[in-house]
Each structure stands twice: as C-alpha cells, then as structure tokens.
Amino acid sequence: GGGRNYIANDPSKIPQIFLRETRTVARLGIVPGKFFPQELSANPMVRDLRRVAPLYGYIATTPKPAAEIVLASTRLDPVLAAWQYGLGRSVAWTSDAAGLWTKDWLRVPNANRFWANLASWVLPAAGTNQLFISGSSSQGQGHISVTMPPSVGANPGVTAHILTPGLQTTTIQLEPSSPGQFGGSFQEGAQGAYFVTVEARGAGHAEAGQIGMDVPYSPEYRSTGLNLSFLRSLAAAGGGSIITHPQDAWKGNLQPVLAEYDVTLWLLLLAVLLLPVDVGVRRLVVSRRELAAILEALPFRRTAYSDREAINPVVGALRRRRSQRDSFAPEAIAEARAFAVPPRISPSNNRRMDGRISPSGSSTPSVRSSDVSAATVQGHENADEESVASKLLAAKRNKG
C-alpha cells in the first residue's frame, strides 16, 4: 500500500516508533531537497524550456484521476499538473515562484516564456475559427452538438471522444443535422463528469475542441418544495384529506372499494367435488329400511337396548311387565287368592272338575286353591294383553 514499516525487536522502542510516525504524519507535507523535475507529458506549457533546472523543494500532493501530470518529482509526485473542467482549465504548480525553491529555475533561458505559456494555456484562445461544442443529458442519453466554422470546409469528418467517470473512452461519429451543425448521442453509464473531445477534419484543415458534461442524479431525487395548494385540490378531488401528523397515516378512514373478482376457478372446483354426489343420488336406490339400518350401524346412534327392542318398543314393554309378574312374592299370590271370585257352576253341569264329587252330592264341583290362583293370574295377563291389543287396534284405525 505504499506505507512504512519498522523493525521492533525491543518493546521499549515502540514509543519512539509511534513518536517518529506521529511527527511524519503531522508535518505540513513539505518535501525539501534538490531534484530535477521529469517531463511526463508534451504539453504546450513546457515547449519553450531549453533546459530543465533543479528545484529545492515542493509540496506533496495527490493528482486527480483525470489530471494530466506534466512535470513530476523523483517520487513521481506532481510538480506541474493540468486539469480540464468543462470549457475551463486549471494548472497546479507545487513549487514556489518567489525563488525560495526555484532560484536556479528562474535563471535558465526562456524562463519567462514558461510562465507566459502557463498563463496562456489557462486562458481561452482567441479567434473565431474554433469549434463551438455544446452538450446535454436527458433520459440516460448524452447529446453532443457542434457548430463548424467556415474554415473547416465542406463535408468534414467529425469525431467525438468521450471520457467517462470510470476513465473509459468511447468514440462516436457525429452526423450532420443542419447546415454547419453536427450532432450525436452516447449512452451514459453512471453519474459524474464526462469529458468530450471533438475533432473536425476538412479539406486540408482541422479543428479540435473540448467540453465537460456533468450528469447529475435522477430528477426524481430533486427537491422542489411542497405545493400545498395542489395537494389540497388533489385531496378534495379524490375525497381524501391531507396528513399533518405521521400517526394519521395509520388511521383506517378509507372508503370501501368494490371490485370484480373472478370466481370461475372456485365454481369449477365445486362442480368437480359435487359430481360424485350427483352420480350417487341418481344411480343408487336406498329404501327406508336400509337407511334405518345404516343409521343404526353408526357408532353415535347405538343405544343400551337390544336390536329387537329398538325396532318394536311395544313388545319390549310387554316383556318387562311379564318379567315383573313372574317375580311376585308369595304374599302377593295369597292376596290374589283372597280377592279371587270362584267361578259359577251351572246345576246341569255334573262333570267332575278334578275327578271327584262333593260328599254332599251337590252338583257344585270342588276347586283347588292353586287352580284359583293360577286362573286369577292368567286372567290378569289376559286382561293386560287384551288392553294392549285394543290400544294397538285403536291406534291402527286412527292412522287408517
């Protein structure tokens, strides 16, 4: 990187190294010492110098990337540098002109011509035969326009050399646009300063000129101020309001907006999903009994009763009643015997009820208590069954 390095074998020398480096950096940039300047460019400013005299010091500077170094020191620091900016020129002379470092330089022959050439090169040249060059920039394109003097002659060849900010050169051929006018365009790669050199060669005569073009940032970044009257009219036309505080930008006070939405894709998807259902409804025939069986087979439809009780609840109720009567206690049977009425036997019926005739010879047969109780229970069961049957018959008739 062009820096300096120090050997520090002893740690105690580190403070001295830092002190020496601080003095080196803190100096004013004056480089004393006798040296002979080296000519690096054949510029008109040094064309009259017959002999280069020594100099005894200069101020260390750094040249710009597009600067022309005419004279340099033994360290290749610029002593005389030229700069072209737009239509103007500038010159940097890093030594003095009072004789402190240039005592031998002022004694050489034609030294006065050197200072005259330096001033003449900075000032614009006189005459009306030079090219008049103008440049402009718009929409990423650079445009060059050149006005030709009559001394160039008819149908000259005009060429423009463009030096970009990246120090790359582009050459374009300018075409005639009107009598005595030539123009052309080139692509602008980046923002910055562009240097354009135009050469016009006619019948035995040639002219040249230079200009500088500045390509600024995009116009959208240009600050033009705030036009409150236009903003108010724009807000009134759209039914809006002007935001004066940053938190007002998050208020949900916008009017609802209706817009069309294409639902074709969703309708097609619904049709595809309903197609199997449509085919099943039209092709499959399911009776009520099969539908009831399917519903009963579902897990959440099952009950604690058996299948037959779920299908016929009346039969299930009769079975529960019969199971309750079969579990009667002996006390209930005795009570039923007490309230049992013996059957009447007609006198003409002299058949033996149980194969025996009463001792009195009467025609009233003897009836056992077990038969009476059984008959009583059977009579209750028959009465219950007849009442249930009558209810079923009445319900069937009501439905009919």
Side-chain angles (χ1 to χ4, degrees), residues 330-392:
E331 292 82 6
I333 296 175
E335 185 180 357
R337 288 176 182 176
F339 287 96
V341 179
R344 293 181 181 180
I345 306 300
S346 60
S348 61
N349 188 6
N350 54 1
R351 292 181 300 175
R352 297 174 62 93
M353 298 296 293
D354 54 352
R356 294 179 296 175
I357 299 177
S358 61
S360 62
S362 63
S363 60
T364 302
S366 62
V367 182
R368 292 179 298 180
S369 62
S370 62
D371 296 336
V372 174
S373 62
T376 302
V377 175
Q378 186 67 27
H380 282 290
E381 291 180 358
N382 293 336
D384 292 338
E385 291 179 357
E386 289 178 1
S387 63
V388 173
S390 63
K391 290 180 180 181
L392 292 175

Side-chain angles (χ1 to χ4, degrees), residues 31-371:
V31 182
K34 181 180 179 180
F35 68 95
F36 287 88
Q38 303 177 14
E39 184 177 351
L40 302 182
S41 176
N43 193 279
M45 291 183 291
V46 294
R47 61 186 176 185
D48 293 332
L49 287 178
R50 303 289 179 88
R51 181 173 58 89
V52 176
L55 296 175
Y56 294 91
Y58 66 96
I59 298 175
T61 57
T62 302
K64 293 183 178 181
E68 178 186 4
I69 301 177
V70 182
L71 298 176
S73 66
T74 55
R75 299 181 181 181
L76 297 182
D77 292 333
V79 176
L80 177 62
W83 176 262
Q84 177 82 35
Y85 187 80
L87 296 178
R89 295 173 178 178
S90 61
V91 173
W93 171 258
T94 61
S95 188
D96 74 307
L100 178 62
W101 296 329
T102 57
K103 55 183 180 180
D104 294 339
W105 184 274
L106 298 177
R107 295 174 184 172
V108 297
N110 297 330
N112 54 347
R113 297 293 305 170
F114 167 74
W115 300 110
N117 293 338
L118 190 147
S120 299
W121 188 85
V122 173
L123 297 175
T128 59
N129 293 331
Q130 289 187 345
L131 303 178
F132 182 78
I133 308 171
S134 63
S136 62
S137 175
S138 63
Q139 298 181 356
Q141 295 283 334
H143 306 281
I144 303 172
S145 178
V146 182
T147 301
M148 294 293 165
S151 60
V152 178
N155 301 324
V158 183
T159 305
H161 305 279
I162 300 99
L163 181 64
T164 65
L167 302 182
Q168 296 179 356
T169 304
T170 303
T171 302
I172 60 173
Q173 190 72 27
L174 303 184
E175 302 295 336
S177 57
S178 62
Q181 296 286 335
F182 287 77
S185 302
F186 64 93
Q187 186 69 31
E188 296 175 352
Q191 292 84 13
Y194 288 77
F195 298 95
V196 181
T197 303
V198 179
E199 297 179 354
R201 299 182 180 275
H205 190 75
E207 291 289 345
Q210 283 185 334
I211 63 167
M213 293 177 53
D214 184 27
V215 179
Y217 290 102
S218 177
E220 63 180 344
Y221 297 105
R222 184 178 301 168
S223 178
T224 57
L226 183 62
N227 192 349
L228 286 178
S229 60
F230 174 74
L231 289 179
R232 292 192 182 96
S233 61
L234 185 63
S241 60
I242 298 177
I243 297 176
T244 56
H245 302 284
Q247 59 270 17
D248 295 341
W250 305 104
K251 290 184 178 180
N253 55 356
L254 299 178
Q255 298 294 331
V257 179
L258 300 179
E260 296 181 358
Y261 185 77
D262 190 7
V263 296
T264 304
L265 181 60
W266 295 103
L267 294 178
L268 291 176
L269 181 59
L270 181 61
V272 171
L273 295 177
L274 293 179
L275 179 61
V277 180
D278 178 65
V279 174
V281 170
R282 291 188 291 106
R283 296 295 182 181
L284 299 179
V285 179
V286 182
S287 62
R288 293 184 178 179
R289 182 178 300 176
E290 294 174 346
L291 183 59
I294 293 173
L295 294 177
E296 291 297 333
L298 297 177
F300 54 85
R301 296 283 297 183
R302 294 180 180 176
T303 60
Y305 302 104
S306 61
D307 296 339
R308 295 183 62 184
E309 290 179 352
I311 296 174
N312 195 347
V314 178
V315 176
L318 292 176
R319 288 180 178 179
R320 289 192 296 273
R321 294 287 297 274
R322 179 172 295 179
S323 62
Q324 292 175 0
R325 293 192 189 95
D326 293 341
S327 62
F328 281 172
E331 292 82 6
I333 296 175
E335 185 180 357
R337 288 176 182 176
F339 287 96
V341 179
R344 293 181 181 180
I345 306 300
S346 60
S348 61
N349 188 6
N350 54 1
R351 292 181 300 175
R352 297 174 62 93
M353 298 296 293
D354 54 352
R356 294 179 296 175
I357 299 177
S358 61
S360 62
S362 63
S363 60
T364 302
S366 62
V367 182
R368 292 179 298 180
S369 62
S370 62
D371 296 336

